[in-house]
Amino acid sequence: MSSYRPEFSEAEQSRIDAEFSRLARNKSVYLDHAGTTLYAESQVTAAAEQLQRNVFCNPHTCRLTGDFVDQVRFKILEFFNTTAEDYHVIFTANATAALSLVAENFDFGSSGDFHFCQENHTSVLGMRERVRANGIYMLREKEISSGEPKANGKVHEVSGKTGNSLLTFSAQCNFSGYKIPLEAIEQIQIDGLAKPGKQLWGSVGERKENTHNDYYICLDAASFVGTSPLDLQKYRPDYVCLSFYKMFGYPTGVGALLVSQRGAQVFQKRRFFGGGTINYAYPHAMDYQLRETFHQRYEDGTLPFLSIVELLEGFRTLERLVPRTEEFSTMERISRHVFGLAKYLEDQLRQLHHPNGEPLVKLYNKVGYQDKSRQGGTVAFNVRTESGSFVGFGEIACVAALHGILLRTGCFCNIGACQYYLGLDEDALDAIYKRAGRICGDYFDLIDGQPTGAVRVSFGYMTTIQDVDQLLQMLRSSYLATKPLQRIQFIEEQAEQLPPLLKERVQLLRPKLLQMAIFPVKSCAAFKIESPGSWPLTDQGLKYDREWMIVDMNGMALTQKRCTELCLIRPVIKVDQLELQFGDNSLISVPLSLEDQAADSAKCVSKVCRQPVEGLDCGDGVAQWLSENLGMEGLRLLRQSGQRNSSKDQQKLSLVNQAQFLLLNRSSVRSLQFEEPLDETVDRFRANIIIDTGSAFEELTYKALSIGGIQFQVEGPCQRCDMICINQRTGERSPETLTTISRLQKGRMRFGIYITRIPPDTKELEPKEQHMTCGDVVLVE
């Protein structure tokens, strides 16, 4: 077990705590410093005093304001260990605006390409829409940081260059906190890229080696510089994009683009100019002249000068609260502090296990927490249940908020990193964003039990070890010491305290009825009802469920054990007919009305589970159709006409084997991990009611439940036979199905539960017909 060693002395920690006393007053734990860090109380007080003390006006009017703005430029350059001889400082609204400025003004020449890293903020992806490159390529992180040399020599040794290529990547991934080695900057500037990456746009089929291009680096440093030192004497990207609220918490709305002298040479003459960027512009002619100073040409309109001036106090606050030592600078100490907290949290999370030994969390990082030059103060993870299922990050956000813990969940505007760490292929992304309609910032957290995002905690210099321990205590108490139903009840009872979006997420905590399956003809395929569909109930169960069956020439019920092709007969319930289909063209219908059927049918008797069943023969036409399609002589279709009761409690039954309904939990099916679509595995179990609790085999503990207010009692688990080895879409057998269930259930063959509807307590002479609707909430007793 790793121990935590504090970076700050007791006196330093005491001064820092005093600056953020509002957290204690509000009983809040703040763990979203990658989103924005917090401002110190003395910082905003000093900024306000500065505004009260001085007269700041438009810098075009007031020299004092202009001098302050220039002072901030010099301070920024000093903070990143560089000078005005090496870098220009262009003020922007934020890092996104800085990236946009690079995209709009970088001169690609005739053959330059744009390359970006998969694990990038969406602002980098937005650059693709503005660059005027010859081709656009996506690189995986390892293709940037691997240090693999070009096969055909160094770029600077190649003559006849015709273009400039631009590579943009984040110094620190805002999803996981992973840091790309900054040594890659100089190597790519000199040697180019060994591989261009996956081509997304450009001439199809063109093989580009880009040996005739110069390479420039745009470094998205917004996440990195909040807690790590960036030395621009050691590492010299051509462009650096910053957001100062990530560093100081206040002010917002101001960032910067740092442009090296090399990078400035390939910035185009602007196609737009605004106030302050020009010496003159004629209204009567297409004639204008831009300012001589580089940064002035790109700062359109009046700068947010009050916010810029207040940056000075941000720098002073950092250096005052975390003073440099003989060995380490301010930012180096902050980096050591947040990395130590992240390492401690990661180690503690790895030790959290459910009683059965299953780990509580799944962590997302590349190199672990051994080297702070490769990993920042961020920990990304998802919580898992005892059965290994994932807990939705929306639920974690609710629980955290009710414990006063502020953290971030989702994909953090970095779908590429989400794709990488969650192992999502292109079809999975389409399922999440195109078919399911998920958007950035929502709490649509699970699809078929798989997470669409993660939980992220990130630290700042004001984060304490006690904050981390409170997070750990929340996870222990809520997910190791509390039953799921207790946790859900706790959230529901406190829901009014949550923000609006999380209130909406609370409504999704309870499992819901996902699907109903009616099996009109026993052992044949299902007729499915999905959201927002509804279906009536009868005394026997779902209306029309197992009301017909196929019998052989001896009057015995035909099942898939004898004839697997029965699953290929697909029923469709229409207004007044039951339509049966086999293959693409073979159709036949029988009346839905029992009275219509009885008017022209012979009575007969068969057996289901050794019980006699009174039925009506559905005629020669459908009998011949069945025999021809199934290849068996003497088949007949019978419809139940007489009442049948269970032997145990006299519940009314259709032609089912044991109980009115069979309920299945998709989470339990998911745990089987069959190499086939999940829906196909679900179909094998031929259940009437499909729910998803998020926890495998949870349903086996149920005693009673309600669905949409309709009460059910649990009759017990379903003991499985080899019927489930039959793929219900193809009729093919796969014996490993039973083997897998036996292994998971330690030799027992239980899967799904039988339930029976409790008749409504009503004195009405003609009680109303009850319906179940997909989407109905499932409440468990």
Side-chain angles (χ1 to χ4, degrees):
M1 174 178 174
S2 67
S3 59
Y4 169 74
R5 288 184 291 181
E7 172 64 27
F8 306 140
S9 68
E10 289 186 13
E12 288 173 333
Q13 188 62 60
S14 179
R15 285 195 297 271
I16 293 171
D17 291 344
E19 290 281 2
F20 300 92
S21 59
R22 62 189 185 276
L23 289 172
R25 288 195 302 272
N26 289 284
K27 298 180 180 179
S28 295
V29 173
Y30 186 78
L31 299 176
D32 186 29
H33 294 271
T36 180
T37 196
L38 298 177
Y39 55 81
E41 291 166 18
S42 65
Q43 174 190 348
V44 291
T45 300
E49 290 173 352
Q50 182 172 254
L51 294 178
Q52 293 173 327
R53 188 170 56 247
N54 296 290
V55 178
F56 292 113
C57 59
N58 193 309
H60 299 150
T61 304
C62 177
R63 179 177 175 180
L64 174 67
T65 307
D67 289 344
F68 265 100
V69 171
D70 287 339
Q71 188 180 351
V72 177
R73 290 189 207 274
F74 293 136
K75 183 61 183 177
I76 292 169
L77 293 169
E78 177 189 62
F79 190 80
F80 295 113
N81 193 28
T82 188
T83 66
E85 284 69 42
D86 292 326
Y87 279 88
H88 304 281
V89 178
I90 302 172
F91 286 112
T92 63
N94 43 42
T96 296
L99 291 164
S100 175
L101 203 59
V102 175
E104 290 174 343
N105 294 284
F106 186 84
D107 184 0
F108 288 89
S110 62
S111 64
D113 297 313
F114 177 60
H115 309 261
F116 67 94
C117 182
Q118 176 191 21
E119 297 162 45
N120 262 126
H121 194 276
T122 52
S123 298
V124 173
L125 304 187
M127 296 177 74
R128 302 178 306 190
E129 306 303 316
R130 291 194 171 181
V131 296
R132 294 182 292 279
N134 183 66
I136 297 176
Y137 297 82
M138 184 197 78
L139 286 160
R140 301 189 187 279
E141 175 273 321
K142 63 182 180 182
E143 295 173 316
I144 297 172
S145 59
S146 65
E148 184 179 350
K150 282 188 68 66
N152 52 356
K154 296 184 177 182
V155 170
H156 72 274
E157 295 176 351
V158 179
S159 60
K161 301 167 191 169
T162 60
N164 306 306
S165 288
L166 177 67
L167 168 60
T168 301
F169 67 87
S170 297
Q172 177 173 298
C173 174
N174 73 313
F175 184 101
S176 66
Y178 173 74
K179 298 176 180 179
I180 289 183
L182 297 183
E183 290 79 7
I185 294 172
E186 182 178 15
Q187 181 169 347
I188 293 170
Q189 287 170 332
I190 295 174
D191 293 338
L193 290 167
K195 298 176 182 178
K198 178 182 179 180
Q199 185 174 11
L200 305 183
W201 182 87
S203 300
V204 178
E206 181 180 357
R207 179 63 182 140
K208 298 221 25 118
E209 294 296 341
N210 296 315
T211 54
H212 295 281
N213 290 334
D214 278 323
Y215 284 81
Y216 294 80
I217 302 297
C218 177
L219 188 69
D220 176 6
S223 177
F224 182 86
V225 298
T227 54
S228 299
L230 177 60
D231 186 343
L232 294 181
Q233 287 292 330
K234 184 176 182 181
Y235 306 108
R236 296 173 179 262
D238 300 287
Y239 311 100
V240 183
C241 303
L242 310 170
S243 284
F244 289 108
Y245 71 92
K246 302 273 190 181
M247 300 170 63
F248 312 132
Y250 174 86
T252 57
V254 60
L257 172 64
L258 309 188
V259 181
S260 71
Q261 296 296 340
R262 179 176 184 262
Q265 294 173 11
V266 290
F267 252 37
Q268 297 175 336
K269 181 179 178 181
R270 298 206 63 193
R271 295 187 294 169
F272 172 84
F273 53 83
T277 62
I278 56 169
N279 290 328
Y280 65 84
Y282 290 157
H284 61 275
M286 298 293 288
D287 195 4
Y288 67 93
Q289 184 183 78
L290 293 171
R291 298 279 192 189
E292 290 79 13
T293 305
F294 182 82
H295 67 255
Q296 289 181 321
R297 300 177 198 169
Y298 299 94
E299 293 175 341
D300 295 323
T302 300
L303 291 171
F305 54 89
L306 294 181
S307 293
I308 292 172
V309 167
E310 290 166 8
L311 292 176
L312 285 173
E313 197 53 45
F315 286 111
R316 293 190 191 109
T317 300
L318 279 185
E319 293 164 351
R320 183 179 73 254
L321 294 180
V322 187
R324 69 169 47 246
T325 63
E326 291 184 4
E327 190 175 2
F328 300 116
S329 69
T330 291
M331 293 308 298
E332 182 68 19
R333 295 191 71 199
I334 291 174
S335 178
R336 289 165 57 86
H337 172 69
V338 299
F339 178 76
L341 292 174
K343 181 177 175 62
Y344 170 77
L345 174 59
E346 188 253 6
D347 181 75
Q348 293 295 309
L349 288 174
R350 288 191 181 280
Q351 297 180 51
L352 298 181
H353 291 82
H354 290 284
N356 66 351
E358 286 292 317
L360 177 65
V361 303
K362 179 176 177 60
L363 289 153
Y364 303 112
N365 57 68
K366 289 190 177 180
V367 293
Y369 291 78
Q370 304 304 315
D371 182 358
K372 69 179 179 60
S373 70
R374 292 292 173 264
Q375 176 64 44
T378 298
V379 180
F381 62 92
N382 271 311
V383 175
R384 307 192 80 155
T385 67
E386 192 171 20
S387 65
S389 304
F390 285 98
V391 177
F393 60 72
E395 180 185 319
I396 305 298
C398 291
V399 172
L402 293 174
H403 283 80
I405 298 175
L406 300 170
L407 44 72
R408 185 70 69 89
T409 60
C411 264
F412 326 118
C413 298
N414 193 334
I415 294 175
C418 200
Q419 181 183 26
Y420 172 83
Y421 286 103
L422 301 182
L424 304 173
D425 58 22
E426 294 175 8
D427 185 65
L429 286 183
D430 283 347
I432 293 170
Y433 292 100
K434 292 183 178 180
R435 296 195 286 276
R438 200 205 151 196
I439 60 173
C440 287
D442 67 14
Y443 291 98
F444 192 75
D445 46 20
L446 295 172
I447 291 184
D448 276 338
Q450 297 304 303
T452 65
V455 179
R456 181 189 73 187
V457 296
S458 50
F459 308 129
Y461 71 87
M462 66 291 295
T463 310
T464 66
I465 189 66
Q466 290 78 19
D467 295 333
V468 179
D469 283 337
Q470 281 190 247
L471 171 69
L472 289 165
Q473 179 56 31
M474 180 207 83
L475 292 171
R476 291 188 188 102
S477 63
S478 299
Y479 292 95
L480 293 181
T482 303
K483 298 292 185 182
L485 291 177
Q486 294 174 309
R487 185 170 62 250
I488 291 173
Q489 186 174 359
F490 165 75
I491 298 171
E492 290 175 336
E493 290 173 351
Q494 308 294 322
E496 286 305 312
Q497 301 179 30
L498 295 171
L501 281 177
L502 283 179
K503 280 185 186 178
E504 294 178 12
R505 179 61 180 81
V506 171
Q507 299 173 14
L508 304 177
L509 292 175
R510 297 279 183 180
K512 292 181 172 59
L513 175 60
L514 299 182
Q515 184 187 84
M516 288 176 282
I518 296 95
F519 298 88
V521 182
K522 184 178 175 67
S523 284
C524 292
F527 175 67
K528 295 179 181 179
I529 309 298
E530 298 180 328
S531 182
S534 179
W535 198 256
L537 299 177
T538 70
D539 292 340
Q540 298 184 153
L542 290 167
K543 192 172 185 178
Y544 301 125
D545 185 59
R546 273 91 170 189
E547 195 160 323
W548 290 262
M549 69 177 178
I550 301 170
V551 298
D552 61 16
M553 63 178 60
N554 298 315
M556 302 300 294
L558 188 66
T559 69
Q560 289 186 28
K561 291 181 180 180
R562 292 172 57 196
C563 179
T564 59
E565 289 83 0
L566 284 175
C567 67
L568 304 180
I569 296 179
R570 297 187 298 277
V572 178
I573 298 173
K574 297 194 171 179
V575 176
D576 58 355
Q577 293 183 356
L578 170 65
E579 182 179 276
L580 303 179
Q581 181 174 358
F582 190 94
D584 295 330
N585 301 312
S586 185
L587 291 170
I588 197 164
S589 300
V590 295
L592 269 185
S593 166
L594 185 60
E595 290 77 11
D596 291 347
Q597 184 73 67
D600 191 29
S601 300
K603 292 184 178 181
C604 52
V605 177
S606 183
K607 282 188 177 183
V608 172
C609 294
R610 299 180 181 177
Q611 281 187 302
V613 175
E614 295 180 7
L616 298 171
D617 189 292
C618 295
D620 294 338
V622 69
Q624 184 177 351
W625 183 88
L626 289 171
S627 295
E628 289 176 355
N629 284 289
L630 296 177
M632 297 176 67
E633 293 295 327
L635 298 182
R636 310 293 296 185
L637 182 66
L638 269 59
R639 182 173 188 176
Q640 184 182 13
S641 60
Q643 181 173 309
R644 173 175 172 246
N645 296 329
S646 67
S647 57
K648 184 176 70 172
D649 53 15
Q650 297 301 299
Q651 287 284 341
K652 296 181 180 179
L653 300 177
S654 62
L655 301 177
V656 296
N657 286 352
Q658 190 163 335
Q660 291 178 343
F661 304 90
L662 175 59
L663 180 146
L664 193 69
N665 182 0
R666 281 175 72 93
S667 294
S668 302
V669 181
R670 197 178 296 116
S671 71
L672 299 177
Q673 298 182 342
F674 286 175
E675 293 183 358
E676 65 183 8
L678 182 63
D679 286 342
E680 289 190 18
T681 311
V682 169
D683 288 347
R684 288 177 181 268
F685 296 96
R686 300 178 61 79
N688 301 111
I689 296 174
I690 313 297
I691 64 173
D692 194 339
T693 69
S695 182
F697 304 109
E698 179 183 320
E699 69 280 7
L700 295 176
T701 65
Y702 294 172
K703 302 299 182 185
L705 68 150
S706 68
I707 302 176
I710 300 173
Q711 303 295 318
F712 299 86
Q713 67 185 28
V714 177
E715 304 294 345
C718 177
Q719 302 294 330
R720 290 299 181 172
C721 63
D722 62 1
M723 274 273 289
I724 61 172
C725 297
I726 302 169
N727 184 303
Q728 295 297 302
R729 300 192 184 186
T730 65
E732 296 175 354
R733 289 182 179 273
S734 48
E736 70 275 6
T737 309
L738 273 178
T739 306
T740 303
I741 294 175
S742 176
R743 174 174 51 81
L744 290 173
Q745 294 285 336
K746 298 179 180 179
R748 290 174 291 184
M749 314 299 280
R750 306 180 307 170
F751 214 94
I753 57 175
Y754 287 121
I755 62 175
T756 301
R757 181 167 66 116
I758 300 173
D761 185 12
T762 178
K763 297 180 181 180
E764 298 177 13
L765 295 177
E766 295 184 9
K768 295 179 181 178
E769 186 177 59
Q770 288 185 308
H771 286 71
M772 285 201 303
T773 301
C774 291
D776 282 345
V777 174
V778 179
L779 298 176
V780 178
E781 298 176 18

